[in-house]
Amino acid sequence: MKKNKVKKILIIISILSILLAFILYLIIMYRNIEVTPNYQISRVQSTDISQTVEKAEKNSTSVADVIETTTKSIVGISKLKNTGNSIFLKNDESSLGIGTGILVSSNGYILSNSHVTGEKYSTCYITLENGLYYNGTVVWSDTDLDLSLTKINAKDLPYVKLGDSDNIRVGETVYAIGNPIGFEFRRTVTSGIVSAKNRTIKLEENDNSSYMTDLIQTDATINPGNSGGPLILPNGNVIGINTVKITSAEGIGFAIPINIVKTIIESFISTDNFEEAKIGIYAYDKEVIPYLSSSNSFSTGIYITQITRNGPAHNSGLKIGDIITSIDNVSLNTMNDLRSYIYTKKPGDTVNLNIVRGKITKTISIILGK
């Protein structure tokens, strides 16, 4: 019995010795291994530098600087002449019906709504940011677009930069500037986003229905008096002219895209003139068709609803209901696409329209008129 006990103890001691020796070997081996990671370790930043309070304050200051500069180009417009030196007289704002305009050149061209300034050759009265007062003459007006250009005799004026309304995106921050209500709230700035693009709205005025198409929708607050004021990006570039709002809902206003009128502005600035060509038709895009109770449906092009009697298109072969898909091989999807192209032409120029009539496609040539 004693021999067996001693034998078991010796075996256990031997096993433990072997295990201890193996452990010592492993410890010595791993001590000699140099572990070098192939990646860098750094603390995780809780906030990116672009999101710091200092950066936010800097961005806010930059936008404030831009808006401060832009408001110097904002003018007050009235159709009624007052007896003082400014239309911004506290006692007169209700009777003067103040609207808004923006200087688009240093020599006194002002962009606004036609419903603010009146039609071509009419007179309106302008007050600049510095309080100076001028008589203005409307040199161009389009009631369908609700846009106009007015000229005052002045020089070295601050003016806005025009942006690119074709490349704006839904969700971009925008600011609306205008003269809502009257004297107390002149040059009010409101902020919002681009809520939607290419909007179509139906207007009911004086027992007549009309449509405004290709509009920019925004939730920046627009009130009476804001009409004709700019819708700008944070960099100060004007992308639209504020025109109407939905009165039965909050935060739904609309601006006319600036690109539609750029050619006209540039022509007046460089030559003091714009020779407008006419094609003599009116057409709607696919967004308007549901308003017309028409069974006609299409994915591209514009639908002819009117041909001016004795106009350039009258005897061209065009018919009401035709769909124009392109002009001179330039694709059309809105009436503003057509306007923008015609504005680059002169009376007497020939344009070629590609049309669809049922299952028939054809090309029709038209000589543009005045």
Side-chain angles (χ1 to χ4, degrees):
M1 291 292 293
K2 289 184 178 179
K3 286 184 178 180
N4 288 337
K5 264 187 178 182
V6 171
K7 188 175 181 180
K8 286 181 179 178
I9 291 170
L10 290 174
I11 291 172
I12 292 171
I13 292 171
S14 298
I15 292 172
L16 291 173
S17 298
I18 293 171
L19 286 173
L20 181 61
F22 182 71
I23 291 170
L24 289 173
Y25 169 76
L26 290 176
I27 291 171
I28 293 170
M29 182 181 70
Y30 278 101
R31 276 182 177 176
N32 293 329
I33 295 176
E34 184 177 349
V35 179
T36 305
N38 60 356
Y39 53 87
Q40 295 181 342
I41 300 174
S42 61
R43 292 183 182 274
V44 176
Q45 299 291 333
S46 61
T47 305
D48 185 79
I49 188 169
S50 63
Q51 297 174 311
T52 63
V53 172
E54 292 81 3
K55 185 70 173 179
E57 289 177 347
K58 183 177 180 181
N59 289 341
S60 178
T61 301
S62 298
V63 171
D65 290 340
V66 167
I67 290 175
E68 183 178 353
T69 299
T70 304
T71 54
K72 294 178 182 178
S73 304
I74 304 299
V75 305
I77 301 177
S78 176
K79 288 299 292 178
L80 297 177
K81 189 174 184 178
N82 76 339
T83 57
N85 61 3
S86 169
I87 65 171
F88 288 128
L89 294 180
K90 187 171 182 179
N91 295 330
D92 290 343
E93 73 270 11
S94 60
S95 61
L96 291 171
I98 296 169
T100 307
I102 53 173
L103 287 160
V104 292
S105 72
S106 63
N107 62 338
Y109 281 106
I110 297 165
L111 180 63
S112 185
N113 292 139
S114 61
H115 80 259
V116 170
T117 63
E119 296 186 4
K120 188 176 180 180
Y121 303 127
S122 62
T123 299
C124 54
Y125 307 99
I126 311 294
T127 294
L128 304 185
E129 185 266 347
N130 59 15
L132 294 179
Y133 175 72
Y134 293 88
N135 290 355
T137 300
V138 180
V139 295
W140 174 85
S141 180
D142 188 314
T143 55
D144 291 327
L145 280 176
D146 193 21
L147 289 176
S148 67
L149 270 178
T150 299
K151 181 69 169 64
I152 60 174
N153 293 322
K155 296 181 179 179
D156 301 323
L157 300 173
Y159 61 95
V160 295
K161 294 180 180 178
L162 304 183
D164 184 358
S165 55
D166 288 342
N167 289 323
I168 60 173
R169 301 174 63 193
V170 173
E172 283 193 270
T173 298
V174 288
Y175 301 89
I177 308 176
N179 303 315
I181 303 174
F183 173 83
E184 290 88 351
F185 304 107
R186 63 196 184 280
R187 295 182 180 82
T188 291
V189 180
T190 58
S191 66
I193 61 170
V194 174
S195 303
K197 302 191 300 181
N198 304 322
R199 287 299 201 205
T200 295
I201 59 173
K202 182 179 181 179
L203 299 176
E204 300 282 355
E205 296 176 317
N206 302 321
D207 297 325
N208 291 320
S209 296
S210 62
Y211 302 90
M212 296 188 72
T213 63
D214 202 26
L215 298 175
I216 301 168
Q217 181 183 331
T218 179
D219 64 347
T221 303
I222 297 174
N223 290 299
N226 276 104
S227 292
L231 189 69
I232 68 171
L233 296 173
N235 62 7
N237 288 352
V238 176
I239 58 167
I241 302 301
N242 303 321
T243 181
V244 293
K245 65 173 291 187
I246 301 296
T247 56
S248 59
E250 294 296 327
I252 303 180
F254 300 93
I256 305 157
I258 197 65
N259 282 17
I260 186 65
V261 76
K262 276 183 177 179
T263 300
I264 299 169
I265 294 172
E266 291 166 359
S267 178
F268 273 107
I269 291 174
S270 59
T271 67
D272 287 319
N273 185 46
F274 174 66
E275 193 175 14
E276 185 170 353
K278 296 286 187 181
I279 192 170
I281 65 172
Y282 199 86
Y284 289 132
D285 59 44
K286 62 182 180 180
E287 303 298 331
V288 183
I289 294 303
Y291 291 105
L292 302 179
S293 300
S294 172
S295 59
N296 202 328
S297 62
F298 54 94
S299 57
T300 60
I302 55 177
Y303 178 88
I304 298 178
T305 59
Q306 181 179 329
I307 298 175
T308 304
R309 185 174 180 82
N310 298 323
H314 182 61
N315 293 316
S316 65
L318 278 180
K319 295 182 178 181
I320 292 175
D322 287 348
I323 297 171
I324 308 173
T325 57
S326 66
I327 179 169
D328 292 342
N329 295 319
V330 176
S331 297
L332 301 177
N333 285 303
T334 69
M335 185 62 185
N336 282 355
D337 290 339
L338 178 62
R339 285 192 182 100
S340 295
Y341 187 80
I342 296 297
Y343 286 156
T344 67
K345 298 296 182 179
K346 293 183 178 181
D349 288 348
T350 299
V351 294
N352 296 305
L353 304 179
N354 292 323
I355 69 160
V356 174
R357 183 182 297 159
K359 296 182 179 181
I360 300 172
T361 59
K362 60 191 303 185
T363 300
I364 294 177
S365 296
I366 296 175
I367 299 174
L368 300 176
K370 286 189 176 182

